[in-house]
Amino acid sequence: MATLLRRLTILRIHSSRPLHQASLNQSGCNHELEINIQTEIPGPKSTKLRNELLECQQVSTVSFVSDVQKSLGNYIVDVDSNTYLDCFMQIASLPLGYNSPDLIKALSSPENIHQLVNRPAMGWFPNEEWIRYVTNVFMAMAPPGLEQIYPMMCGTCSNENALKIAFMKYMDKQRGGRLDFTEEELQSVMTHSAPGSPNLSILSFKGGFHGRTVGLLSVSNSRALHGIDIPTLKWPKADFPRYKYPLGENQDINRAEDLRCLEILEDTIREQNTKTDAPVAGMIVEPIQAEGGDFHGSKFFFQGVDRIAHKYDISLIIDEVQTGGGSTGKMWCHEHFELEHGPDIVTFSKKMLSGGIYHKKTHRPQHAGRILNTWLGDPHKVIMLSEVWKYIQTQNTLALVDESGKVLLSGLMELEKRFPGHLSSSRGLGTFCAVDCPKVEMRDEIVGRMLKKGVLIGACGEATIRFRPCLIFEPKHAAHMLEKMGEVLLEMTS
Amino acid sequence: MATLLRRLTILRIHSSRPLHQASLNQSGCNHELEINIQTEIPGPKSTKLRNELLECQQVSTVSFVSDVQKSLGNYIVDVDSNTYLDCFMQIASLPLGYNSPDLIKALSSPENIHQLVNRPAMGWFPNEEWIRYVTNVFMAMAPPGLEQIYPMMCGTCSNENALKIAFMKYMDKQRGGRLDFTEEELQSVMTHSAPGSPNLSILSFKGGFHGRTVGLLSVSNSRALHGIDIPTLKWPKADFPRYKYPLGENQDINRAEDLRCLEILEDTIREQNTKTDAPVAGMIVEPIQAEGGDFHGSKFFFQGVDRIAHKYDISLIIDEVQTGGGSTGKMWCHEHFELEHGPDIVTFSKKMLSGGIYHKKTHRPQHAGRILNTWLGDPHKVIMLSEVWKYIQTQNTLALVDESGKVLLSGLMELEKRFPGHLSSSRGLGTFCAVDCPKVEMRDEIVGRMLKKGVLIGACGEATIRFRPCLIFEPKHAAHMLEKMGEVLLEMTS
């Protein structure tokens, strides 16, 4: 730890490199606040407001009430004037931290006000500015090989519609490309029967999470509480790898785990296709199972998944809702895997601010109006996304993510060595990092104590801590977080 | 028609009443443009831009490309400088028309910029301003008896989550209010099996439309194309009334139709509960089946629905996504029905700008985190909604809707008399009006010819024309639309 902090002090001294200018906005103002905890958490004002909200909304998940005006960059301020270093960033959803001057400038611009007040139904009456955003911004950010886009409102719509595109593609093949629907096909839809409403399935992975609607609960498998009481479709689940860390010391055992999971995957598809009446039309997978506990799949594993999807001619949907947008050090996490065929469909939301679906041209719906809703996107979000994209390109942001991620991950590994009874399995790509605790109670205690020290970190899975800072998170912030975590663990062990 | 136009001229002369000041913004500028068609439709610039968009998106539903900067009030302008009177208003989704000065002012205010650039995860770190919007604006707009709110992103999330609340309520009763889940309940969720993932159903109505996700396609029944190729849950459908118009001349036959539908509704519930293994947990219904063809249900019918829901102790979900927000002359269309028990859950979106779910306190989830997503709403939308609500209250907007609606509906009835081979069954509440054509081709020809004359109207159902103007649509706009429609029908018949 001491070594790490020394290294960071050196990094900080040499902070004149462009890489470290991320904390400076374009007009040169510094984005830094300082951690400052003045009350118990939640403080009295937070508690009062929280209770008012709870009167009319069951949302007892609320931690504290924030002050968006005072929050800045990597720091969130609450209504009791406590300032926290935010390593969770609204569940991984703020790309440039709080009150980004670039976003403020864009949304304050009189040029953009007409976009903000008039949201057209983009499937019927889009405007020129919107078309430019779609053809320039979304297309420039597209994962390699995916030339088609449907902007959406959130990750849920994106994933639900991704399933639909996979089903449509499957049935299009069944019809041999025939474009006209038969009367029987059309009529049977109205009674939820085949052939119009066919019995098909989407394969997903144990421990995965894709959303909370009826369709997405049918492909999710991370927490019972998400799905309890809700009828779902009984779709097949395959195993997702569970690795031993550190990876370098467990290569054989992890390779065996990959092979085991790939075998199960293939078996599951075959079994579903031959022994049930709901064949597999596609599979949906997160590049890193995030909500479920930050479980990674190796390049080898994903190359196998890619090969199997291709072999059985089913659509491969990669859900990048949490991983997309830069925090793994690449714009799209699946780019790390160098897939031969690549995903047919990639979904996004969160850090991309707009939801959406990229898909291959092969998966373009044959008929108008089959993937559609009133709005098909939101200019307010895409104006911001355009600025985020400019920022990423001009500020060398992905390199910063890489560097901060290295500090974060190596620091977690050092802490793991110092506190082996508390932390294990440090892992991550970019700043998308996590570490396990032996028990949920211990994890919650660490997260709670960190909050009291002014550092906000997240939880996921059974007893995992997840880090989801924004893209302007610097090595010094990582070092600060690690320092506080060291203090917390020392307190807990002494 | 001549009578009507005379009456409107008189109305126009007496336009000093507050009711008619809706076209004046608060700083006194007039909102009026004039219909002006300069090119074929779509014009050359529209066509070029549309084709660019279609390169990367299957959205061939696009009619023309709009110019949001030039559009104003009730008039939409396209990129070829054609100006149309917009009686469709982005599928009923713009409450105050284009470039409302109140909305521009609110979104330009430096006070609000922090809300626009920092969208927190409202279920974890909401801010004070957000809590004020929820407790003041949403609660002030709530339908009578519904004291709880979940803001959502769109109508789809709202309806999907409404189904979940109904399922949760049903299972809560099955457990006799027991709060702890058993290990069996929790484990069975993970394999999509009962008791955790129970086999339950939601009853809906033939011809209804609630959305395009897997769950909502299972309760929708308006157009085969929406659902084709997509697996759904085979849930029961009951008949929704189909009336003969004019209502005044067909009271007996329509009362018989109501009784027939209510009997089928009760039979369907009983049959589903006794003859299948998926009992009815709730029913979802639109106050007016909008997408399906503007089919109305009478007060008598809905009082029967309300009574039956209560009798069988199942949740009544009223989907006000298209009808809510004022265009029927009341904030919530179901207020017209004077229900004894009232809906347990009401969903909204479109004109409310934010999606959301109102529900009774009896339906408040017992556990935290069961109705949740990353954002739980969007401050950008709620800042606008707050202004819309102020406008409705201060400008006597619902009275204007009533008056414009009367002009619109009586004008349609006059046209129907003049052109009985073309129009029938004029109907409406407020400006939420519709009229039928005998065939889809004729409907489409009327809609197309109207567009060429600079009036934008909508289509729905099999061969229905729907009118969905915004809340500042005045009698003079209705008269202008009717005048153009008269011209079109005359051309088509001469």
Side-chain angles (χ1 to χ4, degrees):
Chain A
M1 192 69 190
T3 325
L4 174 69
L5 288 178
R6 262 199 309 281
R7 187 151 67 81
L8 286 165
T9 312
I10 293 164
L11 277 175
R12 239 177 298 180
I13 292 166
H14 294 287
S15 67
S16 59
R17 286 185 295 153
L19 201 57
H20 297 108
Q21 289 179 354
S23 66
L24 301 180
N25 68 35
Q26 291 182 347
S27 49
C29 304
N30 202 305
H31 254 190
E32 293 303 309
L33 296 180
E34 279 188 10
I35 289 174
N36 178 10
I37 300 300
Q38 307 196 325
T39 70
E40 57 181 349
I41 298 163
K45 214 175 155 195
S46 260
T47 302
K48 187 172 169 292
L49 285 164
R50 180 181 185 275
N51 289 341
E52 285 177 38
L53 181 62
L54 261 62
E55 278 291 305
C56 59
Q57 195 177 357
Q58 162 49 295
V59 62
S60 45
T61 38
V62 164
S63 297
F64 59 74
V65 177
S66 61
D67 183 327
V68 278
Q69 196 166 340
K70 290 188 188 152
S71 300
L72 192 66
N74 285 283
Y75 296 86
I76 183 169
V77 179
D78 73 17
V79 284
D80 294 287
S81 296
N82 299 304
T83 304
Y84 314 77
L85 174 63
D86 191 347
C87 307
F88 195 38
M89 273 293 157
Q90 309 298 332
I91 322 182
S93 71
L94 283 187
L96 302 183
Y98 297 97
N99 285 309
S100 155
D102 301 278
L103 300 190
I104 289 179
K105 196 174 157 206
L107 292 188
S108 304
S109 159
E111 271 179 41
N112 285 331
I113 189 70
H114 306 284
Q115 302 292 320
L116 296 184
V117 301
N118 306 298
R119 177 162 56 158
M122 296 301 183
W124 290 266
F125 314 102
N127 52 65
E128 182 166 3
E129 295 85 345
W130 176 255
I131 294 174
R132 292 284 159 254
Y133 284 125
V134 173
T135 55
N136 298 343
V137 181
F138 276 123
M139 281 301 107
M141 300 180 89
L146 302 185
E147 306 162 316
Q148 300 282 305
I149 175 83
Y150 281 111
M152 290 277 154
M153 300 296 297
C154 63
T156 299
C157 315
S158 305
N159 282 335
E160 276 272 354
N161 280 288
L163 305 190
K164 287 172 61 179
I165 292 175
F167 288 130
M168 285 157 53
K169 178 68 184 168
Y170 183 91
M171 292 307 292
D172 180 53
K173 283 182 291 187
Q174 297 295 307
R175 285 187 292 269
R178 168 171 54 83
L179 283 182
D180 289 334
F181 299 112
T182 65
E183 204 48 40
E184 189 197 1
E185 283 163 352
L186 292 169
Q187 286 305 319
S188 55
V189 173
M190 305 311 261
T191 56
H192 305 291
S193 312
S197 182
N199 202 359
L200 299 173
S201 63
I202 297 286
L203 181 145
S204 59
F205 290 87
K206 288 179 189 164
F209 176 76
H210 303 283
R212 293 157 170 267
T213 47
V214 169
L216 297 180
L217 286 171
S218 305
V219 292
S220 293
N221 185 263
S222 63
R223 282 181 66 200
L225 195 69
H226 293 157
I228 200 154
D229 295 346
I230 315 300
T232 45
L233 289 150
K234 202 167 178 158
W235 287 342
K237 306 279 175 296
D239 284 19
F240 193 88
R242 298 292 184 255
Y243 297 137
K244 277 198 112 164
Y245 290 87
L247 295 176
E249 297 170 20
N250 295 284
Q251 288 180 347
D252 290 350
I253 205 168
N254 289 334
R255 174 56 60 97
E257 173 67 354
D258 280 340
L259 290 168
R260 184 186 72 82
C261 290
L262 291 172
E263 197 183 329
I264 287 180
L265 173 58
E266 217 168 335
D267 287 349
T268 308
I269 295 171
R270 269 196 301 256
E271 196 157 316
Q272 183 74 18
N273 286 350
T274 55
K275 296 189 185 163
T276 80
D277 54 1
V280 178
M283 57 174 139
I284 185 166
V285 63
E286 297 156 280
I288 300 168
Q289 288 191 328
E291 206 283 329
D294 267 35
F295 294 110
H296 288 245
S298 69
K299 185 194 282 195
F300 178 82
F301 172 72
F302 273 100
Q303 290 182 346
V305 169
D306 182 58
R307 200 174 52 246
I308 291 168
H310 191 72
K311 176 176 170 187
Y312 290 90
D313 198 14
I314 59 182
S315 298
L316 175 59
I317 305 167
I318 298 194
D319 172 352
E320 294 251 23
V321 167
Q322 190 157 161
T323 49
S327 59
T328 69
K330 293 188 184 285
M331 276 309 292
W332 303 102
C333 185
H334 74 268
E335 292 180 73
H336 288 283
F337 306 143
E338 300 170 8
L339 304 179
E340 186 186 348
H341 310 289
D344 299 297
I345 303 167
V346 167
T347 58
F348 60 85
S349 186
K350 289 192 181 265
K351 272 197 175 57
M352 291 287 284
L353 299 168
S354 167
I357 304 167
Y358 288 112
H359 64 90
K360 281 185 181 162
K361 225 168 184 169
T362 51
H363 283 62
R364 184 173 163 113
Q366 303 267 18
H367 307 79
R370 296 186 64 194
I371 300 293
L372 201 58
N373 56 48
T374 301
W375 288 310
L376 269 190
D378 183 356
H380 168 245
K381 305 302 176 292
V382 183
I383 288 170
M384 289 198 283
L385 180 63
S386 169
E387 295 301 318
V388 171
W389 181 230
K390 273 187 225 161
Y391 191 98
I392 288 174
Q393 290 173 290
T394 57
Q395 303 295 310
N396 207 7
T397 306
L398 297 186
L400 175 66
V401 167
D402 256 346
E403 183 164 347
S404 301
K406 276 177 194 142
V407 173
L408 179 55
L409 187 57
S410 60
L412 289 173
M413 285 169 170
E414 283 193 40
L415 284 174
E416 191 184 320
K417 277 183 201 147
R418 280 175 64 200
F419 303 99
H422 289 67
L423 300 181
S424 65
S425 302
S426 302
R427 55 202 182 273
L429 279 174
T431 56
F432 199 105
C433 291
V435 64
D436 289 344
C437 298
K439 288 187 308 188
V440 59
E441 295 76 15
M442 190 188 287
R443 189 267 313 273
D444 291 348
E445 187 179 346
I446 294 172
V447 172
R449 282 176 180 253
M450 287 293 277
L451 198 62
K452 287 182 186 158
K453 282 194 183 285
V455 181
L456 183 51
I457 55 179
C460 63
E462 221 159 297
T464 299
I465 294 168
R466 63 174 155 172
F467 302 92
R468 295 292 183 272
C470 62
L471 302 177
I472 61 167
F473 187 76
E474 295 178 58
K476 67 179 176 192
H477 301 118
H480 206 156
M481 189 287 294
L482 291 163
E483 188 186 323
K484 295 282 181 183
M485 197 150 172
E487 286 173 25
V488 160
L489 291 164
L490 204 58
E491 284 164 19
M492 286 172 69
T493 46
S494 60
Chain B
M1 193 68 190
T3 324
L4 174 69
L5 287 178
R6 263 201 307 281
R7 185 150 67 82
L8 285 166
T9 312
I10 292 163
L11 277 175
R12 239 176 298 180
I13 292 165
H14 293 286
S15 67
S16 58
R17 286 185 295 155
L19 202 57
H20 297 108
Q21 290 180 352
S23 66
L24 301 180
N25 69 35
Q26 291 182 344
S27 48
C29 304
N30 201 307
H31 254 190
E32 292 304 309
L33 295 179
E34 278 186 13
I35 288 175
N36 179 9
I37 300 300
Q38 307 195 325
T39 70
E40 57 182 351
I41 298 163
K45 215 175 155 195
S46 261
T47 301
K48 187 172 170 290
L49 285 164
R50 181 180 183 274
N51 289 342
E52 285 178 37
L53 181 62
L54 260 62
E55 279 290 306
C56 60
Q57 195 176 356
Q58 163 50 293
V59 64
S60 44
T61 39
V62 165
S63 297
F64 59 73
V65 177
S66 62
D67 183 326
V68 279
Q69 197 165 339
K70 290 188 189 151
S71 300
L72 192 65
N74 285 282
Y75 296 87
I76 183 169
V77 180
D78 73 16
V79 285
D80 294 287
S81 296
N82 299 305
T83 303
Y84 314 78
L85 174 62
D86 191 347
C87 307
F88 194 38
M89 273 292 156
Q90 309 297 333
I91 322 183
S93 71
L94 282 187
L96 302 183
Y98 297 98
N99 285 310
S100 155
D102 301 277
L103 299 189
I104 289 180
K105 196 174 157 205
L107 292 187
S108 304
S109 159
E111 271 179 40
N112 284 331
I113 189 71
H114 306 285
Q115 302 291 320
L116 296 183
V117 301
N118 306 298
R119 177 162 56 159
M122 296 301 181
W124 289 267
F125 314 102
N127 52 66
E128 182 166 3
E129 294 85 346
W130 177 255
I131 295 174
R132 291 286 158 251
Y133 284 124
V134 173
T135 55
N136 297 344
V137 181
F138 276 123
M139 281 301 107
M141 301 181 88
L146 302 184
E147 306 161 316
Q148 302 282 305
I149 175 84
Y150 280 111
M152 289 277 154
M153 300 297 296
C154 63
T156 299
C157 314
S158 305
N159 281 336
E160 276 272 355
N161 279 287
L163 305 191
K164 288 172 61 179
I165 292 175
F167 289 130
M168 285 157 53
K169 178 68 184 168
Y170 183 91
M171 292 307 292
D172 180 53
K173 283 183 291 187
Q174 297 295 308
R175 285 188 292 269
R178 167 170 55 82
L179 283 181
D180 290 334
F181 299 113
T182 65
E183 204 48 41
E184 189 196 0
E185 283 162 352
L186 292 169
Q187 286 305 317
S188 55
V189 173
M190 306 310 262
T191 55
H192 304 291
S193 312
S197 183
N199 202 358
L200 298 174
S201 63
I202 297 285
L203 181 144
S204 59
F205 291 86
K206 288 179 190 163
F209 176 77
H210 303 283
R212 295 157 169 265
T213 47
V214 168
L216 297 180
L217 287 171
S218 305
V219 292
S220 293
N221 185 261
S222 63
R223 283 180 67 198
L225 196 70
H226 293 157
I228 201 154
D229 296 346
I230 316 299
T232 45
L233 289 150
K234 202 169 178 154
W235 287 343
K237 306 279 176 295
D239 284 19
F240 192 88
R242 298 292 184 254
Y243 297 137
K244 277 197 113 164
Y245 290 87
L247 294 177
E249 298 170 20
N250 294 285
Q251 288 180 348
D252 290 351
I253 204 168
N254 289 335
R255 174 57 60 96
E257 172 68 354
D258 279 340
L259 290 168
R260 185 187 71 83
C261 290
L262 290 172
E263 196 182 329
I264 287 180
L265 173 59
E266 216 167 335
D267 286 350
T268 308
I269 295 171
R270 268 196 302 256
E271 196 158 314
Q272 182 75 18
N273 286 350
T274 54
K275 295 189 185 162
T276 81
D277 54 1
V280 179
M283 57 175 139
I284 185 166
V285 64
E286 297 156 278
I288 301 169
Q289 289 191 329
E291 206 283 328
D294 267 33
F295 294 110
H296 289 245
S298 69
K299 187 195 281 195
F300 178 82
F301 172 72
F302 273 100
Q303 290 181 347
V305 169
D306 181 58
R307 200 175 52 247
I308 290 169
H310 191 74
K311 176 177 169 186
Y312 290 91
D313 198 14
I314 59 183
S315 297
L316 176 58
I317 306 167
I318 297 194
D319 172 352
E320 294 251 22
V321 167
Q322 191 158 160
T323 50
S327 59
T328 69
K330 292 188 184 285
M331 276 309 292
W332 304 102
C333 184
H334 74 267
E335 292 180 74
H336 288 283
F337 307 141
E338 299 170 8
L339 305 179
E340 186 186 348
H341 310 289
D344 299 298
I345 303 167
V346 167
T347 58
F348 59 85
S349 185
K350 289 193 182 263
K351 272 197 176 55
M352 291 287 286
L353 300 168
S354 167
I357 303 168
Y358 288 112
H359 64 90
K360 281 185 182 162
K361 225 168 183 170
T362 50
H363 283 62
R364 185 174 163 113
Q366 303 268 17
H367 307 80
R370 297 187 64 195
I371 300 292
L372 202 59
N373 56 49
T374 302
W375 288 310
L376 269 190
D378 182 357
H380 168 246
K381 306 301 176 291
V382 183
I383 288 170
M384 290 198 282
L385 180 63
S386 170
E387 295 302 318
V388 171
W389 181 230
K390 272 187 225 161
Y391 190 97
I392 289 175
Q393 291 173 290
T394 58
Q395 303 295 309
N396 206 9
T397 306
L398 297 186
L400 176 66
V401 167
D402 254 346
E403 183 163 346
S404 300
K406 276 179 194 141
V407 173
L408 179 54
L409 187 57
S410 60
L412 289 172
M413 285 170 171
E414 284 193 39
L415 285 174
E416 191 184 319
K417 278 182 201 149
R418 282 175 64 199
F419 303 98
H422 289 67
L423 300 181
S424 64
S425 302
S426 302
R427 55 202 183 271
L429 280 175
T431 57
F432 199 105
C433 290
V435 65
D436 290 344
C437 298
K439 288 187 309 190
V440 59
E441 295 77 15
M442 190 187 288
R443 189 267 313 274
D444 292 348
E445 187 180 347
I446 294 173
V447 172
R449 282 176 180 253
M450 287 292 278
L451 198 63
K452 285 181 186 159
K453 284 196 181 285
V455 181
L456 182 51
I457 55 179
C460 63
E462 222 160 296
T464 299
I465 294 168
R466 61 173 156 173
F467 302 92
R468 295 292 183 272
C470 63
L471 302 178
I472 62 167
F473 187 76
E474 295 179 58
K476 68 179 175 193
H477 301 117
H480 206 157
M481 189 287 293
L482 292 162
E483 188 186 322
K484 294 282 181 185
M485 198 152 171
E487 287 172 26
V488 160
L489 291 164
L490 205 58
E491 285 165 18
M492 286 172 68
T493 45
S494 60

